[in-house]
Amino acid sequence: GENVEQHPSTLSVQEGDSAVIKCTYSDSASNYFPWYKQELGKRPQLIIDIRSNVGEKKDQRIAVTLNKTAKHFSLHITETQPEDSAVYFCAAFFTGTASKLTFGTGTRLQVML
Amino acid sequence: SAVISQKPSRDICQRGTSLTIQCQVDSQVTMMFWYRQQPGQSLTLIATANQGSEATYESGFVIDKFPISRPNLTFSTLTVSNMSPEDSSIYLCSVEIQHTDTQYFGPGTRLTVL
């Protein structure tokens, strides 16, 4: 089955700095890669996603890049703000006999004032 | 996106009992899923709730422990049966918007088993 690795597990940055979270996936047939943000006590919320026919996608201060050859994708947050503090999960959509999302282990991002 | 609600939002239960969690969405969706999120952990798929047929369970999860119903395209239930403290977790439903692969999550049910 699909395996998704995510690094780092924790990340502290100063307000205004950039943050980068990286994920690798095992199944080359995966074709959809969403990122979720989960604040404490809240549901995971989709913040950005990318499909395998695109190399990069941006939405204001967040961007995602995909390298299909290396089977890795990354989340980039620029000009970080305290409200960016949360746990971020990457995921890969596995198109095997039973299509499903497989999640990474999560990155706890703390933006320091 | 979709508006997804879950009931109950939280519960404290005694071991050996069962709890049924409801998930309601405001529009018809083909795919509904149930996840478990243990404290400080990632999301683990329990099963895909199929409308009109039996749910599809992931490795490590069985129907006797986690029976699922999906009577129509807007509603599903997950029952946690014969509970033990190890079942203490957050249970989340999610829905896939029609043929987009994109999933949106309900608010979750926080279950504590004593």
Side-chain angles (χ1 to χ4, degrees):
Chain A
E2 177 69 282
N3 185 48
V4 178
E5 294 189 1
Q6 183 171 347
H7 300 280
S9 56
T10 61
L11 179 60
S12 290
V13 299
Q14 290 295 126
E15 183 180 7
D17 287 351
S18 296
V20 180
I21 303 170
K22 299 182 179 182
C23 290
T24 59
Y25 59 98
S26 60
D27 186 358
S28 56
S30 295
N31 60 3
Y32 173 64
F33 308 92
W35 286 87
Y36 289 85
K37 174 184 179 182
Q38 188 175 32
E39 297 176 77
L40 190 63
K42 302 288 183 63
R43 75 185 81 188
Q45 289 201 304
L46 179 71
I47 56 171
I48 196 167
D49 56 12
I50 192 167
R51 298 190 183 271
S52 58
N53 59 346
V54 175
E56 182 175 358
K57 184 176 178 181
K58 289 185 71 173
D59 183 2
Q60 300 183 349
R61 293 187 299 109
I62 60 173
V64 57
T65 59
L66 172 65
N67 183 326
K68 285 175 57 180
T69 303
K71 290 189 286 187
H72 68 69
F73 56 113
S74 300
L75 178 71
H76 304 253
I77 306 174
T78 58
E79 300 172 28
T80 53
Q81 301 169 3
E83 51 265 38
D84 295 329
S85 297
V87 178
Y88 291 80
F89 294 99
C90 64
F93 186 75
F94 173 54
T95 58
T97 53
S99 300
K100 64 175 183 177
L101 271 182
T102 299
F103 285 82
T105 49
T107 296
R108 182 173 300 279
L109 172 65
Q110 186 169 12
V111 180
M112 317 283 280
L113 293 171
Chain B
S1 63
V3 177
I4 308 164
S5 60
Q6 277 184 241
K7 287 196 291 188
S9 57
R10 59 178 62 229
D11 208 341
I12 301 173
C13 302
Q14 297 297 318
R15 70 169 68 211
T17 63
S18 298
L19 176 72
T20 296
I21 302 167
Q22 299 179 6
C23 179
Q24 179 79 52
V25 61
D26 68 340
S27 57
Q28 293 187 343
V29 294
T30 51
M31 305 294 285
M32 295 182 77
F33 307 88
W34 287 98
Y35 289 83
R36 182 173 72 184
Q37 187 175 31
Q38 295 180 306
Q41 302 296 311
S42 185
L43 296 100
T44 300
L45 181 64
I46 297 171
T48 302
N50 301 307
Q51 197 269 327
S53 63
E54 239 178 49
T56 305
Y57 289 84
E58 296 300 307
S59 176
F61 298 96
V62 294
I63 188 171
D64 290 346
K65 176 67 176 177
F66 297 101
I68 287 170
S69 79
R70 177 89 192 272
N72 56 51
L73 293 175
T74 63
F75 185 78
S76 178
T77 67
L78 169 75
T79 298
V80 186
S81 303
N82 188 25
M83 289 184 285
S84 67
E86 292 71 36
D87 294 320
S88 297
S89 190
I90 297 173
Y91 293 85
L92 299 120
C93 69
S94 76
V95 304
E96 179 187 309
I97 301 302
Q98 310 290 69
H99 309 300
T100 64
D101 305 329
T102 303
Q103 289 188 26
Y104 296 93
F105 285 87
T109 296
R110 182 179 296 272
L111 171 62
T112 302
V113 184
L114 302 177

